[in-house]
Amino acid sequence: MHPVDMDKIATWPTRVTAFLTAHSRELRAEREADHKYTLSPSTYRIMNDAPPMPRWDEAKALIENVMADRELVAFHATRLIDFDHIRKDGLMMLDLEQHVARLKGHLQDAGAVDELAEVDAAVTKMLKADSFFNNREGAVWATPHRASLHDGGCDVFYESYGGEAIERIAGYARGKLEQRLKQLGTPAVVIIRYSAYGWCKFTHGRLPQSMIELHLQHEGDWEAMDYGWDIMINRDVPAENIVAVVPLDDPAVAA
């Protein structure tokens, strides 16, 4: 069974699209009423309950049921030296010590003695300034939407080899090391497939809402108000879940 691509409604389960199409008018009316209530003065909201959304809730329950055993396509922004390494070994959760060791190896191979000498001091400064970095970034991060790769949120991952961890280190190093890191590797996107439920806790809450909003937008005369999420996978993504590894300008990841 092919994974569901949030950007391509033709890949969505027909049970979901058929329901959303059949009840489009009710879904729009309920969402508009809810949006109006949300924007109303706080005094009004204190005195009045939010409008019921029975059809919206029914749609969310259906999506949760249908998508329970399905996979989603997701996109991971990075900057790579070796594309085949990801295809062979998959994506691993951030291990800063391993990341830094690999960086030092590349600098050593390049004969970048001055830059190599800057690494440890830069890492120390970075961790002192952001002691929660390892815990916060110790996962595989991705997005379900191609547009999110190009909206500014992921740009940092393309600026230096190794993504945000190395970008932050470079920021504390400045000088030669910062410039060297901007010359290493190629901006790339790793396309993965992952279980809709069980791999990312944010997906559980955001997927149904996003599918309804995006389907309404697809039908026309509607701008999705609330959709998308950051995919945080607290496990390595194995090679069998890697769909493709492509340069940033590949048509497969064009927004």
Side-chain angles (χ1 to χ4, degrees), residues 82-98:
D82 183 359
F83 282 39
D84 288 333
H85 171 72
I86 302 295
R87 296 183 182 116
K88 183 176 68 175
D89 297 330
L91 284 171
M92 292 177 285
M93 295 187 298
L94 175 67
D95 181 327
L96 189 59
E97 185 176 335
Q98 185 181 72

Side-chain angles (χ1 to χ4, degrees), residues 205-217:
R206 297 295 299 163
L207 177 60
Q209 172 81 18
S210 297
M211 292 186 85
I212 300 170
E213 290 271 11
L214 290 171
H215 193 273
L216 292 176
Q217 181 170 276

